Each structure stands twice: as C-alpha cells, then as structure tokens.
C-alpha cells in the first residue's frame, strides 16, 4: 500500500511562517506531480501549489510570493514553506501525489490525511 504522511501544521500569528512536509511511502516506482491543496470551512478544496518531478512549479494567485513548494525526489517528499501567513490561509492542508505503483506500474492519485493550519490575527 502507498500512503502520504504529512506533518508541520499548527497555530501561528499573522505574518508568521510554517513549513509543511509530506512523504510518500510504500511500493512506489515513481512519484510524478506532487502538490498541496487546502480546504477552509464551508469552502471547496483548492490547489495551493504543485511541483512536477522535474521541478516545474505553479501556485495559486493568492499565495504567490509568500509560499514556496519544493521536493526531494530521493525521499519521495514534498514541502511547503509558508511565509507572511494571513488569517485567510487558515485551512486543512492536504498533500497530493500522482504515483506509479509496484508491481504493476499502475498510476494512481493519492491524498494525505490533512494537517490543520490556523493563522490568528
């Protein structure tokens, strides 16, 4: 089985920083695009940032210039550095990845369990 395990959420004051981490484990052949999504109460889940295996990135307009996504292919890990946090960044953040699994080289999309980020004003 493949799973994504996140860490790094918490409570921070506006203007502060947090770093989220996510690692994929299991019978993995290759991890393709990885990303972070978030869902605030009463809102739809939205893409925050994504990064391909080659390192190309894209960001939601609301986080450009404040958040940085990165990855460590050797560790099957993805990270989200969040700076200049705002109260509107408060949400549950989910790790997401497209993974080619063993032994049959099937490609599937996986989600982490989510980690709460709360930004106080």
């Amino acid at each position: 089985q493949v799973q994504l395990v996140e860490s790094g959420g918490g409570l921070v004051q506006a203007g502060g920083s947090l770093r989220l981490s996510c690692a994929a484990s299991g019978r993995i052949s290759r991890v393709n695009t990885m990303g972070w999504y978030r869902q605030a109460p009463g809102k739809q889940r939205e893409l925050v940032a994504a990064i391909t295996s080659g390192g190309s990135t894209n960001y939601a307009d609301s986080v450009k210039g404040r958040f940085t996504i990165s990855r460590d292919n050797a560790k099957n890990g993805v990270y989200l550095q969040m700076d200049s946090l705002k109260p509107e960044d408060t949400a549950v953040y989910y790790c997401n990845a497209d993974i080619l699994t063993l032994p049959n080289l099937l490609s599937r999309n996986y989600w982490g369990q989510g980690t709460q980020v709360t930004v106080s004003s």
Side-chain angles (χ1 to χ4, degrees):
Q1 287 283 10
V2 172
Q3 60 177 351
L4 300 179
V5 178
E6 302 140 341
S7 61
L11 172 65
V12 65
Q13 288 188 332
S17 298
L18 283 174
R19 178 178 169 85
L20 303 182
S21 299
C22 172
S25 63
R27 306 196 70 187
I28 295 171
S29 173
R30 178 182 173 88
V31 182
N32 293 316
T33 298
M34 303 184 83
W36 291 94
Y37 288 71
R38 66 186 181 188
Q39 187 167 20
K43 295 188 176 182
Q44 289 189 333
R45 191 172 296 188
E46 63 174 0
L47 175 68
V48 176
I51 184 167
T52 67
S53 57
S56 297
T57 60
N58 70 288
Y59 295 91
D61 287 343
S62 59
V63 306
K64 283 180 181 176
R66 300 189 298 121
F67 291 10
T68 303
I69 190 169
S70 61
R71 65 187 287 168
D72 183 335
N73 290 332
K75 297 181 179 180
N76 291 331
V78 64
Y79 313 96
L80 187 67
Q81 177 66 41
M82 304 184 293
D83 298 319
S84 302
L85 282 160
K86 304 175 181 180
E88 50 264 44
D89 294 318
T90 295
V92 178
Y93 284 69
Y94 296 91
C95 177
N96 179 269
D98 290 323
I99 298 175
L100 200 64
T101 61
L102 294 168
N104 297 321
L105 299 182
L106 295 176
S107 181
R108 278 189 56 189
N109 187 259
Y110 291 87
W111 291 93
Q113 79 281 3
T115 185
Q116 177 70 47
V117 171
T118 302
V119 184
S120 62
S121 57

mmCIF file of all heavy atoms in Angstrom, residues 66-87:
data_model
loop_
_atom_site.group_PDB
_atom_site.id
_atom_site.type_symbol
_atom_site.label_atom_id
_atom_site.label_comp_id
_atom_site.label_asym_id
_atom_site.label_seq_id
_atom_site.Cartn_x
_atom_site.Cartn_y
_atom_site.Cartn_z
ATOM 1 N N ARG A 66 4.561 34.320 -1.405
ATOM 2 C CA ARG A 66 4.565 34.041 0.041
ATOM 3 C C ARG A 66 4.884 32.571 0.341
ATOM 4 O O ARG A 66 5.523 32.271 1.351
ATOM 5 C CB ARG A 66 3.198 34.382 0.649
ATOM 6 C CG ARG A 66 2.799 35.840 0.495
ATOM 7 C CD ARG A 66 1.541 36.159 1.296
ATOM 8 N NE ARG A 66 0.390 35.391 0.847
ATOM 9 C CZ ARG A 66 -0.299 34.572 1.625
ATOM 10 N NH1 ARG A 66 0.033 34.395 2.891
ATOM 11 N NH2 ARG A 66 -1.357 33.923 1.144
ATOM 12 N N PHE A 67 4.423 31.658 -0.518
ATOM 13 C CA PHE A 67 4.620 30.232 -0.312
ATOM 14 C C PHE A 67 5.629 29.704 -1.328
ATOM 15 O O PHE A 67 5.669 30.169 -2.472
ATOM 16 C CB PHE A 67 3.311 29.467 -0.497
ATOM 17 C CG PHE A 67 2.273 29.703 0.568
ATOM 18 C CD1 PHE A 67 2.411 30.700 1.529
ATOM 19 C CD2 PHE A 67 1.136 28.908 0.608
ATOM 20 C CE1 PHE A 67 1.450 30.911 2.495
ATOM 21 C CE2 PHE A 67 0.167 29.091 1.576
ATOM 22 C CZ PHE A 67 0.320 30.104 2.511
ATOM 23 N N THR A 68 6.392 28.696 -0.912
ATOM 24 C CA THR A 68 7.346 28.051 -1.806
ATOM 25 C C THR A 68 7.215 26.544 -1.671
ATOM 26 O O THR A 68 7.320 26.007 -0.566
ATOM 27 C CB THR A 68 8.778 28.461 -1.464
ATOM 28 O OG1 THR A 68 8.900 29.886 -1.534
ATOM 29 C CG2 THR A 68 9.758 27.830 -2.446
ATOM 30 N N ILE A 69 6.995 25.887 -2.803
ATOM 31 C CA ILE A 69 6.917 24.433 -2.816
ATOM 32 C C ILE A 69 8.256 23.871 -3.291
ATOM 33 O O ILE A 69 8.904 24.448 -4.176
ATOM 34 C CB ILE A 69 5.756 23.930 -3.704
ATOM 35 C CG1 ILE A 69 5.540 22.427 -3.508
ATOM 36 C CG2 ILE A 69 5.977 24.275 -5.173
ATOM 37 C CD1 ILE A 69 4.256 21.905 -4.151
ATOM 38 N N SER A 70 8.665 22.765 -2.702
ATOM 39 C CA SER A 70 9.898 22.096 -3.113
ATOM 40 C C SER A 70 9.727 20.596 -2.892
ATOM 41 O O SER A 70 8.755 20.160 -2.256
ATOM 42 C CB SER A 70 11.092 22.632 -2.312
ATOM 43 O OG SER A 70 10.914 22.386 -0.922
ATOM 44 N N ARG A 71 10.664 19.831 -3.420
ATOM 45 C CA ARG A 71 10.577 18.389 -3.258
ATOM 46 C C ARG A 71 11.951 17.767 -3.183
ATOM 47 O O ARG A 71 12.937 18.351 -3.654
ATOM 48 C CB ARG A 71 9.746 17.743 -4.374
ATOM 49 C CG ARG A 71 10.313 17.842 -5.745
ATOM 50 C CD ARG A 71 9.327 17.333 -6.793
ATOM 51 N NE ARG A 71 9.215 15.872 -6.765
ATOM 52 C CZ ARG A 71 8.251 15.193 -7.411
ATOM 53 N NH1 ARG A 71 7.336 15.853 -8.103
ATOM 54 N NH2 ARG A 71 8.207 13.874 -7.357
ATOM 55 N N ASP A 72 11.992 16.588 -2.597
ATOM 56 C CA ASP A 72 13.211 15.780 -2.536
ATOM 57 C C ASP A 72 12.856 14.443 -3.161
ATOM 58 O O ASP A 72 12.197 13.604 -2.531
ATOM 59 C CB ASP A 72 13.650 15.617 -1.081
ATOM 60 C CG ASP A 72 14.949 14.860 -0.938
ATOM 61 O OD1 ASP A 72 15.281 14.058 -1.849
ATOM 62 O OD2 ASP A 72 15.640 15.047 0.070
ATOM 63 N N ASN A 73 13.273 14.251 -4.400
ATOM 64 C CA ASN A 73 12.885 13.033 -5.119
ATOM 65 C C ASN A 73 13.459 11.778 -4.469
ATOM 66 O O ASN A 73 12.846 10.714 -4.508
ATOM 67 C CB ASN A 73 13.313 13.123 -6.580
ATOM 68 C CG ASN A 73 12.493 14.137 -7.357
ATOM 69 O OD1 ASN A 73 11.332 14.403 -7.033
ATOM 70 N ND2 ASN A 73 13.092 14.719 -8.388
ATOM 71 N N ALA A 74 14.628 11.887 -3.869
ATOM 72 C CA ALA A 74 15.239 10.721 -3.222
ATOM 73 C C ALA A 74 14.423 10.240 -2.024
ATOM 74 O O ALA A 74 14.431 9.055 -1.688
ATOM 75 C CB ALA A 74 16.658 11.050 -2.784
ATOM 76 N N LYS A 75 13.708 11.174 -1.386
ATOM 77 C CA LYS A 75 12.908 10.840 -0.214
ATOM 78 C C LYS A 75 11.424 10.755 -0.533
ATOM 79 O O LYS A 75 10.607 10.567 0.379
ATOM 80 C CB LYS A 75 13.137 11.872 0.888
ATOM 81 C CG LYS A 75 14.564 11.904 1.406
ATOM 82 C CD LYS A 75 14.726 12.929 2.513
ATOM 83 C CE LYS A 75 16.151 12.940 3.045
ATOM 84 N NZ LYS A 75 16.333 13.949 4.128
ATOM 85 N N ASN A 76 11.079 10.955 -1.808
ATOM 86 C CA ASN A 76 9.655 10.997 -2.180
ATOM 87 C C ASN A 76 8.898 12.011 -1.318
ATOM 88 O O ASN A 76 7.762 11.743 -0.879
ATOM 89 C CB ASN A 76 9.007 9.607 -2.068
ATOM 90 C CG ASN A 76 9.512 8.648 -3.122
ATOM 91 O OD1 ASN A 76 9.902 9.056 -4.215
ATOM 92 N ND2 ASN A 76 9.529 7.375 -2.793
ATOM 93 N N GLY A 77 9.547 13.134 -1.080
ATOM 94 C CA GLY A 77 8.972 14.133 -0.195
ATOM 95 C C GLY A 77 8.639 15.429 -0.918
ATOM 96 O O GLY A 77 9.263 15.773 -1.917
ATOM 97 N N VAL A 78 7.655 16.134 -0.380
ATOM 98 C CA VAL A 78 7.280 17.453 -0.877
ATOM 99 C C VAL A 78 7.086 18.355 0.330
ATOM 100 O O VAL A 78 6.627 17.913 1.386
ATOM 101 C CB VAL A 78 6.020 17.405 -1.764
ATOM 102 C CG1 VAL A 78 4.792 16.952 -0.978
ATOM 103 C CG2 VAL A 78 5.769 18.745 -2.428
ATOM 104 N N TYR A 79 7.440 19.628 0.157
ATOM 105 C CA TYR A 79 7.436 20.567 1.265
ATOM 106 C C TYR A 79 6.755 21.858 0.839
ATOM 107 O O TYR A 79 6.781 22.224 -0.340
ATOM 108 C CB TYR A 79 8.877 20.854 1.707
ATOM 109 C CG TYR A 79 9.668 19.584 1.853
ATOM 110 C CD1 TYR A 79 10.477 19.137 0.814
ATOM 111 C CD2 TYR A 79 9.572 18.809 3.001
ATOM 112 C CE1 TYR A 79 11.168 17.953 0.919
ATOM 113 C CE2 TYR A 79 10.267 17.613 3.119
ATOM 114 C CZ TYR A 79 11.059 17.197 2.070
ATOM 115 O OH TYR A 79 11.746 16.011 2.184
ATOM 116 N N LEU A 80 6.164 22.532 1.805
ATOM 117 C CA LEU A 80 5.541 23.814 1.532
ATOM 118 C C LEU A 80 5.995 24.799 2.598
ATOM 119 O O LEU A 80 5.604 24.677 3.762
ATOM 120 C CB LEU A 80 4.018 23.710 1.522
ATOM 121 C CG LEU A 80 3.275 24.964 1.075
ATOM 122 C CD1 LEU A 80 3.547 25.247 -0.413
ATOM 123 C CD2 LEU A 80 1.778 24.837 1.331
ATOM 124 N N GLN A 81 6.834 25.743 2.210
ATOM 125 C CA GLN A 81 7.262 26.803 3.091
ATOM 126 C C GLN A 81 6.270 27.941 2.975
ATOM 127 O O GLN A 81 6.079 28.484 1.888
ATOM 128 C CB GLN A 81 8.666 27.285 2.724
ATOM 129 C CG GLN A 81 9.163 28.448 3.563
ATOM 130 C CD GLN A 81 9.375 28.062 5.021
ATOM 131 O OE1 GLN A 81 9.879 26.982 5.316
ATOM 132 N NE2 GLN A 81 9.007 28.954 5.933
ATOM 133 N N MET A 82 5.640 28.275 4.071
ATOM 134 C CA MET A 82 4.602 29.303 4.072
ATOM 135 C C MET A 82 5.065 30.485 4.912
ATOM 136 O O MET A 82 5.257 30.349 6.126
ATOM 137 C CB MET A 82 3.299 28.736 4.639
ATOM 138 C CG MET A 82 2.804 27.504 3.899
ATOM 139 S SD MET A 82 1.207 26.906 4.486
ATOM 140 C CE MET A 82 1.655 26.359 6.125
ATOM 141 N N ASP A 83 5.270 31.609 4.260
ATOM 142 C CA ASP A 83 5.716 32.834 4.929
ATOM 143 C C ASP A 83 4.633 33.906 4.821
ATOM 144 O O ASP A 83 3.731 33.796 4.003
ATOM 145 C CB ASP A 83 7.015 33.327 4.299
ATOM 146 C CG ASP A 83 8.151 32.347 4.429
ATOM 147 O OD1 ASP A 83 8.295 31.742 5.506
ATOM 148 O OD2 ASP A 83 8.907 32.176 3.447
ATOM 149 N N SER A 84 4.769 34.925 5.639
ATOM 150 C CA SER A 84 3.808 36.037 5.638
ATOM 151 C C SER A 84 2.372 35.519 5.681
ATOM 152 O O SER A 84 1.510 35.959 4.912
ATOM 153 C CB SER A 84 4.015 36.916 4.396
ATOM 154 O OG SER A 84 5.321 37.419 4.339
ATOM 155 N N LEU A 85 2.131 34.609 6.579
ATOM 156 C CA LEU A 85 0.811 33.980 6.664
ATOM 157 C C LEU A 85 -0.267 34.975 7.051
ATOM 158 O O LEU A 85 -0.024 35.918 7.828
ATOM 159 C CB LEU A 85 0.851 32.819 7.655
ATOM 160 C CG LEU A 85 1.491 31.543 7.096
ATOM 161 C CD1 LEU A 85 1.945 30.619 8.213
ATOM 162 C CD2 LEU A 85 0.518 30.828 6.172
ATOM 163 N N LYS A 86 -1.455 34.741 6.490
ATOM 164 C CA LYS A 86 -2.609 35.600 6.736
ATOM 165 C C LYS A 86 -3.738 34.761 7.341
ATOM 166 O O LYS A 86 -3.793 33.545 7.121
ATOM 167 C CB LYS A 86 -3.098 36.207 5.423
ATOM 168 C CG LYS A 86 -2.049 36.981 4.646
ATOM 169 C CD LYS A 86 -2.608 37.444 3.303
ATOM 170 C CE LYS A 86 -1.567 38.206 2.510
ATOM 171 N NZ LYS A 86 -2.101 38.663 1.198
ATOM 172 N N PRO A 87 -4.650 35.392 8.050
ATOM 173 C CA PRO A 87 -5.778 34.626 8.610
ATOM 174 C C PRO A 87 -6.549 33.849 7.541
ATOM 175 O O PRO A 87 -7.043 32.749 7.811
ATOM 176 C CB PRO A 87 -6.637 35.716 9.250
ATOM 177 C CG PRO A 87 -5.655 36.769 9.647
ATOM 178 C CD PRO A 87 -4.632 36.768 8.545
#
